Amino acid sequence: MHPRPHHALCPVILVLCHALAIIDFCRKDRFDKVAEGSAWFHPELDCEKGVVWGVFEDRVTHRRLLVWSSHFWWQSKGDGDDYLRLENARRLHEVVNRAMGRYQAEAAVGGGDLNCDMQSKALKELVTLGWRDAQTETPGADRRPTNREEPVRGADGVLRGVTFEEAKRPKHLDHAFFTPKTVRPRGFAVERRREALDTSDHMPI
């Protein structure tokens, strides 16, 4: 993804993995990190769920981009769990929107393991708040789901994950979002290499 117009900011590659960690693999010869921060959603229930973000400035154009990574509530046993993810989405938008205003970032991209699909109340809320899903909006995007069963340890002691074709209950749980007025996705792919399949039930995007 890169902000419009083409000459404004060079492409920033995001690897949005299962772990909740700020993406800091920018081109250090081109970008300076201006600020970073984090916010937890409900630490009393799960201290791993929240959002982390960083604001980066292009040394050539002096335009600023905010990058975020998030992890939403994971259980799906009833309306209470759906409500928690809805509140996660609202809190995410509040935190990111405030940081964009404070540090004058004109574009934002981010994502992570949001533990729900685009038909969920949480992600519909993000769309209502102005965000767009890269997998949905990118022409030619990889449409495969990102979540499969957990890798299984074989008799040889090695963990092996199932492929998408072998998965019994594949789900779209990992997402990348962007601000549509200032960002245009150039591509979207779901990692398929064996190293990723054998590491987690969630695939990097």
Side-chain angles (χ1 to χ4, degrees):
M1 299 180 188
H2 66 85
R4 294 180 175 137
H6 293 296
H7 63 272
L9 283 172
C10 54
V12 178
I13 298 176
L14 303 179
V15 180
L16 302 172
C17 301
H18 183 76
L20 178 61
I22 187 62
I23 309 304
D24 198 8
F25 298 107
C26 66
R27 283 183 47 186
K28 298 186 185 302
D29 63 328
R30 181 71 183 266
F31 292 94
D32 291 318
K33 185 164 65 176
V34 176
E36 63 182 335
S38 63
W40 305 115
F41 295 147
H42 31 65
E44 69 284 358
L45 296 177
D46 190 335
C47 62
E48 295 181 353
K49 304 302 183 282
V51 56
V52 289
W53 55 268
V55 175
F56 302 88
E57 181 172 309
D58 188 319
R59 293 181 180 178
V60 176
T61 67
H62 303 292
R63 298 177 72 186
R64 293 182 177 182
L65 167 72
L66 185 144
V67 181
W68 57 266
S69 177
S70 188
H71 196 176
F72 282 10
W73 179 250
W74 62 280
Q75 292 187 11
S76 295
K77 297 180 179 179
D79 293 342
D81 297 314
D82 292 336
Y83 175 76
L84 280 175
R85 277 187 288 275
L86 177 59
E87 288 301 303
N88 293 169
R90 290 168 174 164
R91 177 67 171 147
L92 164 68
H93 175 75
E94 175 189 1
V95 170
V96 171
N97 197 49
R98 183 188 305 122
M100 289 183 69
R102 180 176 181 181
Y103 296 103
Q104 299 180 321
E106 61 185 272
V109 294
D113 175 5
L114 306 187
N115 279 313
C116 52
D117 60 29
M118 288 305 297
Q119 300 308 309
S120 65
K121 294 179 180 178
L123 300 194
K124 285 182 177 179
E125 180 72 3
L126 286 182
V127 172
T128 298
L129 292 169
W131 295 90
R132 293 296 178 268
D133 172 60
Q135 190 174 34
T136 303
E137 301 287 337
T138 306
D142 187 340
R143 304 296 181 185
R144 292 175 304 170
T146 62
N147 176 252
R148 305 128 23 261
E149 292 83 3
E150 292 275 0
V152 176
R153 192 175 300 279
D156 57 1
V158 177
L159 282 171
R160 290 186 176 84
V162 299
T163 65
F164 294 98
E165 292 72 25
E166 299 167 336
K168 297 177 181 178
R169 297 179 300 277
K171 301 175 183 178
H172 292 272
L173 300 183
D174 306 271
H175 303 270
F177 282 87
F178 62 95
T179 49
K181 292 183 179 180
T182 49
V183 175
R184 182 178 64 201
R186 298 182 64 185
F188 183 96
V190 180
E191 180 58 75
R192 67 181 73 185
R193 286 177 294 180
R194 173 53 59 182
E195 307 96 282
L197 287 172
D198 295 343
T199 303
S200 173
D201 58 329
H202 291 261
M203 304 303 291
I205 55 177

